[in-house]
Amino acid sequence: MNDIERNLHSIKSSIPKEVTLVAVSKTKPVSDLMLAYKSGQRIFGENKIQELTEKWDIMPKDISWHMIGHVQTNKVKYMAEFVDLIHAVDSYKLLKEINKQAKKHNRIINCLLQIKIAKEESKFGLSEQDAITLLDNEEVKTLTNISIQGLMGMATFTNDKEQIQAEFNKISTFFNKLQPKYPQLKTLSIGMSGDYKTAIECGSTMVRIGSSIFGARNYS
Ligand SMILES: *Cc1c(COP(=O)(O)O)cnc(C)c1O
């Protein structure tokens, strides 16, 4: 068994069956992704459009590709043909463009709203109020080629487990509060290599794990 296969098995055995594992393969060569693929992994996450489209182009077609990074509006067209889930939607303008590009391919693209939970200024994302405003927007409701399926968040980059827990609990509470009114929200995408166990304790339904599967990255 190779390292990637071994890492995947150990992560899968440590997460509940109903939690979806996104293998974050950014910066890694296709040969590494193929090792994960051969051991059964079918969901991969990338954060750069060009890398995402290059890998999609040459890899097997039964892979579900997730865009997990910040998306520039003018880049949506490059992934609209195949992307399954866009994790970091944070504006009406972006939703509208995703809808427009999805329509050209006669597809429905699944989206998550990124909620800002970290203290750092650099992190993208909507406030809770902005997310509600977006969900209630009458024009958003008319966009038939997107489906808003949940929320995504990134905790502060810190070793302080209590802070991470507080941030995950905040988005999880918000998610639970929204669900009765917006039953289409099924996915809570929180948790990475360093904090996925905490995220699962806090109610994560989807974890995005990179370095614990593929090893450390030289650049991001
Ligand atoms: C890189 C990245 C991850 C995975 O990070 P690891 O710490 O390597 O597991 C998860 N989510 C997003 C948005 C990322 O950019």
Side-chain angles (χ1 to χ4, degrees):
M1 219 196 262
N2 60 70
D3 280 352
I4 290 172
E5 219 177 328
R6 196 165 16 245
N7 293 341
L8 257 178
H9 278 290
S10 112
I11 287 165
K12 277 195 196 146
S13 66
S14 73
I15 65 177
K17 285 258 176 310
E18 43 317 336
V19 173
T20 303
L21 171 61
V22 180
V24 175
S25 47
K26 61 191 186 196
T27 81
K28 298 297 175 183
V30 165
S31 54
D32 283 4
L33 279 70
M34 282 310 296
L35 290 175
Y37 180 87
K38 280 178 186 142
S39 92
Q41 183 65 26
R42 289 295 181 274
I43 306 175
F44 291 87
E46 291 283 338
N47 71 338
K48 297 214 165 72
I49 299 269
Q50 191 177 344
E51 198 176 336
L52 174 71
T53 53
E54 282 170 8
K55 286 171 175 171
W56 164 72
D57 207 25
I58 53 182
M59 289 189 63
K61 289 295 169 272
D62 62 342
I63 290 173
S64 163
W65 291 100
H66 289 194
M67 177 61 187
I68 61 169
H70 182 69
V71 180
Q72 285 170 278
T73 311
N74 62 346
K75 301 276 178 69
V76 173
K77 55 177 175 286
Y78 300 116
M79 62 178 168
E81 183 182 348
F82 66 90
V83 71
D84 244 2
L85 180 63
I86 300 178
H87 284 237
V89 175
D90 63 357
S91 72
Y92 173 56
K93 186 173 156 230
L94 182 56
L95 268 181
K96 227 168 82 171
E97 177 65 12
I98 295 168
N99 185 71
K100 179 179 155 192
Q101 298 299 335
K103 197 171 225 138
K104 288 187 186 168
H105 297 281
N106 205 10
R107 301 184 64 225
I108 293 171
I109 296 179
N110 301 315
C111 297
L112 304 179
L113 299 180
Q114 182 175 6
I115 307 298
K116 183 174 155 58
I117 54 172
K119 290 215 178 87
E120 300 133 303
E121 273 313 309
S122 63
K123 295 267 159 71
F124 296 100
L126 297 160
S127 68
E128 293 184 0
Q129 187 49 58
D130 288 345
I132 291 172
T133 303
L134 204 54
L135 287 165
D136 287 339
N137 183 312
E138 288 305 321
E139 284 164 53
V140 168
K141 291 180 195 163
T142 69
L143 303 177
T144 49
N145 292 77
I146 54 147
S147 168
I148 301 176
Q149 302 217 319
L151 306 179
M152 178 269 207
M154 282 176 86
T156 304
F157 189 70
T158 172
N159 287 323
D160 184 347
K161 193 176 172 216
E162 278 177 26
Q163 183 179 346
I164 293 172
Q165 211 159 26
E167 291 173 359
F168 283 159
N169 274 326
K170 189 164 189 299
I171 191 172
S172 181
T173 302
F174 180 54
F175 180 68
N176 291 333
K177 192 179 98 182
L178 292 180
Q179 268 184 327
K181 185 167 173 206
Y182 310 96
Q184 74 270 30
L185 303 179
K186 297 177 205 80
T187 301
L188 179 59
S189 169
I190 51 172
M192 317 192 343
S193 291
D195 56 24
Y196 76 89
K197 286 181 182 159
T198 306
I200 290 169
E201 285 163 17
C202 295
S204 173
T205 72
M206 183 176 280
V207 291
R208 311 175 308 267
I209 300 183
S211 43
S212 291
I213 298 172
F214 296 106
R217 289 177 297 273
N218 297 324
Y219 61 100
S220 70

